[in-house]
Amino acid sequence: MAESFRRAPGVRDHRGAGTHLLVRAGEYVCALPLGSVRRVVRSLTVHPLPGAADELQGLAEFGGEPLPVLSLARLVNASPGANPSYPVTVVVWVGAADAREMVGLSADAALEVVELSTASIVAGDGGLLLGEAPLNGEVVRVLDLESLGRDH
Amino acid sequence: MDADITVPGTSQGERAQLGRLSRPTESALVGWILVVLLTLAGFVLLALGTPAGSPVWPQYAFLAVGLAGIAGYGIAVFPFFRDLERRLPRDLERWEILEKELIEASQQLGAGDLVRSIQHTRGLPERLARISEAASESLSLLAQQIQDSSIEVASAADAVNEIASELASGSSEQAASVVEITAAMEELARTAGQIADSASRQATLASQAETSGETGSAAVHEAVSGVEEVQKRISAIASRADALGTRSKEIYRVLDLITEIAQETHILSLNAAIEAAAAGADGRRFAVVAEEVRHLAQRSQESVESVRNLLDEFAGSIRATIVATEEGSKEASRVLERSRAAAEAIGELRSASGDTSRVARQISLATQQQNAASDEVVMTLREVSLVVQRMTGGLKDLSSTADRLNSLGLTIQLLAQSFHLDSPRSLKHLAEDWSAKLEAAPDMTTLEEILDGLAQTAQFIEMAYIADAKGHLSTLCFNRTVSTGRHLLTMAAARDVDMTRRPWYRAVKREGRSALVPPYESLQNSEPCFTVAAPLRSLGGDFQGVLGIDVNVTGWTRI
């Protein structure tokens, strides 16, 4: 995951502009590009996989198909939060457009759909963290789900 | 005592008659001549009285018989008278000696000196001496008995006086005690009256307390009923609150359901927005709807949160109400328990007040009876007090009588002591015995030693002393066993006192024998005493002085 934040901070990244779904992962509010989001569902039942990486919680069943579920909090290095009142699993497309995969991201809550302007986004590390943008007095972490497919 | 004693047969006329009796023969001759003359006169008268012609031989026979009788009388009586005339002077001298002894004995007897009286009777004829000695001894025995009896009487009277005094003292104390007991009983009666009043008031108060207890018991019972009703109401409130709690939980479940629906709606709106975004421009209007649905879901969630908060407050209030009702129920239970205990206590108090009232009435009745009994006791004690006072007066009279009897016994004793008896209890005998011992002293030192020894011989002797022929006190010795050592009369002070004026000195010097004076107050200890005194003579019988012995009356009566 350290490689996903390779880009130097303070550099504008115009790829993050557009409509995003805000989700909460621990103490962070993350913005997922709405085009990569397939569905938001109540937290799916996850079956852990032995020997899997830490961020991979396991496999869940979605639409009759096995769905790998990643912990968004782990992905953004958030500290584990308190028991969320209504956890959700966000089914997203990751990876390049020609080789995208559908994974589930477990989050503490799905907040809302927002528009993020390009000017407001400060470039991230070039990995998963595309950049950061202020929103309603709070810093939102804009994630690059394509990079997630490349790293994994 | 020594001048005017008259002995029968010793008067002057009788002495002249005795002188005439010293010539018996002449008297007998004169009598004989008178008889002859009377015989002749009878013959003449007989001759003259005989009528003429009567025989004359009786006249001559009378004359012859008369003359023969006269002659025979002369022959027979004349020698007797001659012999009588010869013996009469010798008998007269003896008679005079006897007369002198008899006079001495009588004088000694008259002076009460039975010892010397008996000594003088020894010179009398045997029969007369025996009679006189027997009479003197009888008189001596009588005097001794009188002395002993008088001492016993004095001692008994003294003892009676002492006992009567003690009894009178005890009776006085008893009278005082009876007075104190009477006062105490009166106080007791007064206290009993106060107790009766107090008990009566207590009975009234207890009766009032019983009535109040009944009222209080009814009030407490009402309070208990009220508290029970309150407890029921509190229980109903608790039940209602519990029901509200149950309903609140149902509301919570409904809220949870609504929340879940809102969440689902929220997710659904997000998914709709996702789908709208995927639809591109066609989905823009749908996206708006989805956003509105999301807002609606959010407001629903916010409303649910508001309701939940209100419901929390409501539930908190209900819980507080339940807690309060539980505490109220517990408090009501405690109040109920206390009220029941109070009701029970009031019941016991009412019962106790009833018992107290009854007991107080009994106490009042008993104390009234006690008061009446105390009054009777007080009356009886007053009678007893009068009796004791009379008894005290009687005992004082008895003591006074015993005192008088003691004085009388002492007087009799002193009268009896006026006799000089051959007895150790005869003070005169004692004094003369000691006087004889002192007369035998060769010098003054020996005399003082003898006198000092004599003064220590008996407890009843206070002191012994010697006054010389001029009436000056020459020797004075105190009885050290009874003397306090503080002598009011000292030798130096007494040396210049003229003892010739003292009755005992004058009596001894006048009578020449021991004397005893009536009691007087002793100079040594202010106790009654009397003095017995005896003369001191030289070997030639000359008066040399007087031995005086002061005898303590009390000590003397105790011997």
Side-chain angles (χ1 to χ4, degrees), chain A residues 19 21-22 34-35 37-42 85-88 110-113, chain B residues 259-260 263-264 266-271 273-275 277 291 294-295 298 301:
Chain A
T19 306
L21 174 66
L22 296 181
L34 199 57
V37 177
R38 174 69 181 88
R39 186 63 59 85
V40 178
V41 297
R42 183 183 292 189
S85 61
Y86 205 81
V88 296
L111 300 176
E112 59 181 330
V113 176
Chain B
T259 302
E260 190 173 351
Q263 291 288 349
E264 291 291 340
H266 177 69
I267 291 172
L268 183 61
S269 66
L270 290 176
N271 287 324
I274 292 167
E275 291 299 330
E291 182 63 18
R294 191 187 66 80
H295 281 295
Q298 189 174 2
Q301 269 190 308

Side-chain angles (χ1 to χ4, degrees), chain B residues 1 3 70 110 134 168 254 286 288 320 340 355-356 371 399 452 540:
Chain B
M1 289 294 292
I70 291 169
V254 171
F286 186 72
V288 173
R340 285 172 180 161
D355 293 342
T356 302
N371 199 1
S399 176
D452 186 66

Side-chain angles (χ1 to χ4, degrees), chain B residues 185 189 366-380:
Chain B
M185 285 304 299
T367 47
Q368 286 174 357
Q369 293 174 352
Q370 181 186 353
N371 199 1
S374 299
D375 290 341
E376 292 180 0
V377 171
V378 167
M379 291 180 64
T380 307

